[in-house]
Amino acid sequence: MFARSDPTAHAERLVISEYAAQFSKLRLDECTLYSVVEPCFMCSGAIHWAKIPRLVFAASQASLGTLTGGGSKPSASTLLPAGQQRIEVIGPALEADAMAVLSLYPWIERRT
């Protein structure tokens, strides 16, 4: 995101786009998406439109917000089941481990 100067360049959205392009697919209905952090609103939309049936994430948006000082955001568990397709949402899983890794990232320096 920062290296590209693209606020939409979240890892989940990029991996969906790159995988779909590489394999010429619009539906990723055979995939499971694994994410370190619970996907944001935008990435949850990308998961929905790509028809990904399962999401596994390590750290919740709430925990990330506590670490970064960010505001409250809707959870993927709330957003993804809102559509007509069934999307299994698993997480947080291994949240303490994910938070230990995320705490090493220079969050404060990147808030521009």
Side-chain angles (χ1 to χ4, degrees):
M1 171 171 37
F2 298 109
R4 294 177 183 229
S5 295
D6 181 355
T8 69
H10 294 191
E12 298 87 350
R13 194 192 61 72
L14 292 175
V15 75
I16 289 168
S17 294
E18 290 173 16
Y19 183 90
Q22 181 176 352
F23 294 98
S24 300
K25 292 179 169 244
L26 290 176
R27 296 177 58 103
L28 307 183
D29 52 2
E30 76 287 354
C31 296
T32 297
L33 180 68
Y34 293 89
S35 181
V36 174
V37 178
E38 182 176 20
C40 70
F41 193 85
M42 173 186 64
C43 293
S44 292
I47 292 165
H48 167 80
W49 289 111
K51 308 291 188 212
I52 296 172
R54 183 180 309 106
L55 163 69
V56 180
F57 67 90
S60 67
Q61 279 286 341
S63 292
L64 180 65
T66 300
L67 178 67
T68 64
S72 177
K73 296 183 177 64
S75 69
S77 302
T78 302
L79 295 169
L80 289 172
Q84 293 182 2
Q85 75 186 61
R86 173 154 163 60
I87 299 174
E88 181 182 11
V89 179
I90 301 167
L94 303 172
E95 188 162 42
D97 294 333
M99 293 305 291
V101 171
L102 291 169
S103 70
L104 301 174
Y105 193 81
W107 296 103
I108 303 302
E109 297 167 17
R110 296 287 189 158
R111 289 187 192 177
T112 58

